[in-house]
Amino acid sequence: MMLASRFAMFIAWGEVFPYLYNDACIPIVGARHPFAMGKPFREVWPEVWEELSPLLHDAMQGRTSFHENYPVALEVDGELAPHWYTFSYSPLFDSDGQARGLLSIAMDTTAAIQAGRRQDVRRALDDRIRDLSSPADIAASAAELLGAHFSCDACFFAELEPDGAFVRLDGSWSNGRSPPLSGRQPLADLLPDGALSVPLLKEGVPHVLVCGHREAGRWTADDEALAMAIGERTWAAIGRARAEEAVREAARELRLLTDALPVLIAYVDSDRRYRFNNKAYEDWFGRPRDQVAGKHLAEVIGEKAYAELKPTIDRALAGEHLSLDKKVPFRTGGTRNVHIDYVPRLSPAGEVQGYYALVQDIGERIRADEHRQLLVNELNHRVRNTLAVVQSLAAQSFKKGMPLEAGRRAFEARLRTLGAAHNLLTSENWDSATLDQVVREAVAVAADGRHLEISGPAVRLAPQTAVSIALAMHELCTNALKYGAFSVPEGCVSVAWTVADDVAGTSRLQFVWEEVGGPEVRLPTARGFGSRLLETGLAAELRGRVKLEFLPAGLVCRIDAPLPAGT
Amino acid sequence: MVKGKTILVVEDEALVAMLLQDMLQDMGALVAGPEGLFDAALARAEQDVLDAAILDVNLNGQSSFPVAEALRRRGIPYAFATGYGQSGVESGHEQAPVILKPYTSDEVERAVASLFG
């Protein structure tokens, strides 16, 4: 019966349980066959005798026992290895009903148990890493699980550097008996005696899973298979996590970059709903991000603006790339000038999935353009007016009957004063100049180094008035150099002015040019350009009175005018 | 043609006003003004006995178009003298000749003569 069965069976009896087994039992007996045949049980299985002898003796007491997945450590090739058996010990009775021996029927369940345990570890791994998103956490979690399962000192994943001598640790676990490892390490230090290392080649980069020394002894092929399976599984999860992390990182960078741009950026899908928008977009429409994302265009930009832009949007969603300037209604009322770029986004099959909208506020640019045009026009006007002034100076300098050379000198001197007055105004941003500056500058140009006394409160003159007063001062200087106080070294011109309210409450400027110490003054026989410019031109321009008094002691010029409008 | 006519000169720049005054007088015209101030110019445009006027467009930042309006109401022809050119003339005054600064005596004479043509 026993010999023909394909169940592993043995019988044993008597005091020392000589061991008799069938062919189906040979795989269990292993290297001990055929030595084991008929030998006492204790000699055949010394490593389990202590544990199993009570069960054998139980059978000899007439008791049948059944053991399911019973773990035993059997010596294979000089090493103890875990095995599992489901077996029964049944007493064999003699005719007196006395148990004389036993029959054992056994089944090696090691493979099934180990497969189940691998399955358990894999499930535990899946449970652990399911909610983890960081590759390092996944590696560390898997290392801990595997380390605990193997009861080894340490377990870690590492990426090998190209030279193979150093590794970078991705996730490491230690049971506390050896120090935890991290960072960049020499590979040799990480592979102590008795360590299991499993190579993992991922995307061309060599990685390794290392399980450190363990008390339980050497690593089996089964352990290695489990480590490999867990390593592969972990690595797949790490790969996915890294890809997801890269996507998140790319999205974060895109967000950071687009939020820093002053341009309004949005992506709108073919249902005309927002799928992306930057900070400038939110600010422009005065809505937080969650009030833009997923909303319809019309809701965010307003029905009015949507109606206005719809034909353009239709074209963008038909696949057209558009670039245009447009005046669009603004949320707080009024309109804004914007430059719009609509860039359609196509699927690989060429279908329009949506479009990117890039919108720039060009109001400032348009205002700047208008302002520049205004300045150009104003410049042209001023240049033309100045040319007319120069033309007038030329006409007055080259009067009929005057010597040409004298006329040329007079014209040049007048141009210099005009140029100096322009310089003064330019330095003041062509805004205004003070009366004090204008008088000093005109005298400095026409009568440099002559004795001038000047006093008066600050009075600001508009550009045109400044130019006229400068030219009037020039004429007074020229006259003083020829006939008056500037014609002798001891001569002096005193310029003084006051500002006071008249009875009507108007601020009036009282200005006096007084020459002293010069030769005796005689009344001129004819009035020249200077007199005319002062008494007629300047008087009209200042809306006041200008009076020239040719007193014997020296020329006196009095100006009485409303305080000129400065700025 | 210009000889003997009384022409109002409105120009705020003293030197330019003197130049225009001299030019007109050399043509034998009589000059009213020159006036550089808006109020005085407007008063003359409304009251003086005038045959024509030459107006600077910009009087110290103030537009002289109201002066032109006053002249038109009285049927007195006028021309503008300006550095802005035709583009600086307000709509409604397009019929008025524009003398672009700087101008020659001939240009002034032609413009004034056209007012009487």
Side-chain angles (χ1 to χ4, degrees):
Chain A
M1 183 274 287
M2 199 176 99
L3 291 177
S5 175
R6 292 177 70 176
F7 277 102
M9 296 180 184
F10 74 84
I11 53 173
W13 64 88
E15 291 298 309
V16 295
F17 303 108
Y19 193 64
L20 289 177
Y21 54 91
N22 66 354
D23 283 353
C25 203
I26 292 174
I28 296 175
V29 181
R32 298 166 215 230
H33 173 75
F35 154 79
M37 186 60 79
K39 291 280 183 326
F41 194 99
R42 187 178 190 158
E43 280 176 48
V44 178
W45 303 108
E47 68 269 37
V48 291
W49 170 250
E50 204 144 307
E51 189 169 354
L52 294 183
S53 65
L55 303 182
L56 295 169
H57 285 107
D58 260 9
M60 294 308 282
Q61 296 302 312
R63 286 189 288 274
T64 297
S65 62
F66 179 74
H67 309 274
E68 195 170 5
N69 294 324
Y70 191 96
V72 283
L74 297 181
E75 197 177 306
V76 179
D77 299 335
E79 292 268 359
L80 282 175
H83 285 77
W84 288 264
Y85 293 97
T86 294
F87 64 91
S88 62
Y89 283 171
S90 307
L92 297 173
F93 299 100
D94 64 7
S95 51
D96 298 338
Q98 183 71 32
R100 293 293 177 196
L102 64 97
L103 167 67
S104 172
I105 301 176
M107 203 160 57
D108 185 349
T109 56
T110 303
I113 289 293
Q114 287 178 332
R117 291 183 64 172
R118 282 199 298 275
Q119 185 67 29
D120 288 347
V121 176
R122 278 201 293 272
R123 274 209 201 96
L125 178 73
D126 290 348
D127 286 347
R128 274 176 176 236
I129 66 178
R130 185 173 300 124
D131 297 327
L132 297 179
S133 57
S134 143
D137 288 351
I138 291 171
S141 186
E144 184 186 353
L145 178 77
L146 210 51
H149 174 73
F150 286 146
S151 302
C152 55
D153 289 350
C155 188
F156 55 85
F157 288 88
E159 180 181 327
L160 264 69
E161 293 190 354
D163 64 3
F166 281 85
V167 295
R168 274 198 318 249
L169 294 185
D170 288 305
S172 109
W173 169 86
S174 147
N175 64 2
R177 282 199 292 276
S178 60
L181 299 166
S182 66
R184 186 168 179 268
Q185 302 278 348
L187 180 61
D189 292 3
L190 299 178
L191 291 173
D193 288 345
L196 169 70
S197 74
V198 177
L200 304 161
L201 188 70
K202 289 294 151 192
E203 284 153 14
V205 182
H207 285 80
V208 66
L209 164 64
V210 176
C211 300
H213 170 78
R214 67 170 176 180
E215 299 284 334
R218 70 178 210 169
W219 300 94
T220 64
D222 184 65
D223 293 336
E224 198 168 329
L226 177 61
M228 180 74 86
I230 293 298
E232 297 278 351
R233 210 173 184 80
T234 304
W235 223 251
I238 287 173
R240 282 193 299 275
R242 281 186 176 164
E244 283 164 15
E245 201 171 62
V247 167
R248 279 196 301 274
E249 183 61 18
R252 203 182 70 84
E253 265 178 25
L254 183 69
R255 161 82 46 219
L256 200 69
L257 190 67
T258 52
D259 278 354
L261 289 174
V263 182
L264 278 61
I265 302 173
Y267 175 68
V268 177
D269 66 18
S270 53
D271 291 335
R272 302 176 190 227
R273 291 186 181 276
Y274 288 90
R275 292 287 162 238
F276 177 88
N277 68 276
N278 70 343
K279 177 83 169 50
Y281 208 94
E282 292 157 37
D283 294 347
W284 181 269
F285 291 104
R287 281 167 168 263
R289 187 153 296 162
D290 60 359
Q291 286 299 303
V292 177
K295 303 284 182 207
H296 192 271
L297 269 172
E299 191 181 332
V300 174
I301 70 176
E303 293 289 348
K304 232 168 112 185
Y306 180 66
E308 190 120 330
L309 288 169
K310 190 174 176 300
T312 320
I313 291 164
D314 290 345
R315 285 167 62 190
L317 285 175
E320 200 176 335
H321 183 156
L322 295 148
S323 185
L324 64 153
D325 289 349
K326 202 149 177 64
K327 198 175 256 191
V328 290
F330 191 60
R331 65 181 158 98
T332 56
T335 56
R336 290 282 193 281
N337 285 298
V338 292
H339 178 79
I340 297 174
D341 276 291
Y342 285 153
V343 184
R345 182 189 192 205
L346 304 179
S347 70
E351 278 170 18
V352 180
Q353 297 172 315
Y355 67 90
Y356 294 98
L358 310 172
V359 181
Q360 282 170 275
D361 183 359
I362 53 167
E364 202 53 51
R365 197 178 81 201
I366 288 178
R367 278 189 290 281
D369 284 350
E370 286 170 355
H371 185 64
R372 192 179 58 228
Q373 193 53 48
L374 195 76
L375 287 181
V376 167
N377 288 346
E378 189 58 27
L379 178 68
N380 186 42
H381 165 70
R382 280 192 185 166
V383 167
R384 290 188 166 280
N385 248 334
T386 302
L387 287 174
V389 168
V390 171
Q391 183 189 11
S392 177
L393 289 176
Q396 301 304 331
S397 305
F398 300 103
K399 281 262 191 227
K400 272 185 203 126
M402 285 209 347
L404 193 62
E405 182 56 25
R408 190 181 63 80
R409 275 205 298 276
F411 178 61
E412 284 171 356
R414 285 164 179 154
L415 272 190
R416 272 181 54 196
T417 297
L418 181 64
H422 278 205
N423 259 355
L424 189 59
L425 287 165
T426 302
S427 72
E428 297 284 317
N429 223 2
W430 207 260
D431 198 32
S432 66
T434 66
L435 179 56
D436 184 81
Q437 285 174 311
V438 170
V439 172
R440 282 181 196 279
E441 188 69 20
V443 173
V445 170
D448 191 24
R450 299 306 201 279
H451 192 180
L452 173 74
E453 281 174 7
I454 186 164
S455 67
V459 172
R460 291 209 80 90
L461 305 171
Q464 190 178 308
T465 311
V467 169
S468 295
I469 288 182
L471 287 169
M473 291 302 112
H474 174 87
E475 297 307 317
L476 286 171
C477 284
T478 310
N479 182 72
L481 281 166
K482 268 190 193 165
Y483 313 109
F486 286 160
S487 69
V488 293
E490 62 275 19
C492 169
V493 172
S494 150
V495 174
W497 64 89
T498 57
V499 174
D501 288 355
D502 66 7
V503 285
T506 310
S507 285
R508 291 190 80 85
L509 170 69
Q510 309 271 357
F511 175 102
V512 181
W513 163 289
E514 188 173 10
E515 298 183 22
V516 290
E520 191 180 325
V521 172
R522 278 173 294 178
L523 213 58
T525 49
R527 291 285 166 113
F529 165 62
S531 305
R532 189 178 163 209
L533 174 64
L534 281 152
E535 292 183 322
T536 314
L538 189 61
E541 190 172 322
L542 292 177
R543 207 180 187 173
R545 288 187 304 275
V546 179
K547 204 173 154 202
L548 288 169
E549 297 170 18
F550 294 89
L551 304 176
L555 174 76
V556 176
C557 172
R558 294 181 195 281
I559 301 174
D560 172 19
L563 191 66
T567 43
Chain B
M1 215 172 196
V2 180
K3 203 173 161 93
K5 298 282 204 266
T6 301
I7 297 171
L8 171 64
V9 170
V10 176
E11 167 63 61
D12 64 346
E13 191 112 35
L15 279 158
V16 180
M18 286 165 66
L19 176 73
L20 185 55
Q21 183 180 21
D22 288 355
M23 283 179 175
L24 289 169
Q25 283 170 348
D26 287 350
M27 293 169 210
L30 304 168
V31 172
E35 288 299 343
L37 294 158
F38 177 83
D39 293 348
L42 185 62
R44 279 186 184 271
E46 285 169 342
Q47 293 154 22
D48 281 18
V49 176
L50 302 168
D51 295 308
I54 298 176
L55 311 174
D56 181 10
V57 170
N58 183 337
L59 300 176
N60 270 316
Q62 202 166 3
S63 155
S64 69
F65 294 116
V67 178
E69 292 292 338
L71 292 166
R72 187 159 61 181
R73 277 197 294 276
R74 295 177 64 200
I76 299 167
Y78 53 91
F80 292 106
T82 171
Y84 292 115
Q86 186 70 52
S87 66
V89 174
E90 220 171 59
S91 66
H93 297 282
E94 294 90 346
Q95 85 295 342
V98 174
I99 313 166
L100 186 63
K101 289 179 184 175
Y103 39 70
T104 64
S105 180
D106 287 347
E107 286 168 342
V108 174
E109 187 160 16
R110 269 202 301 278
V112 176
S114 76
L115 295 176
F116 304 121

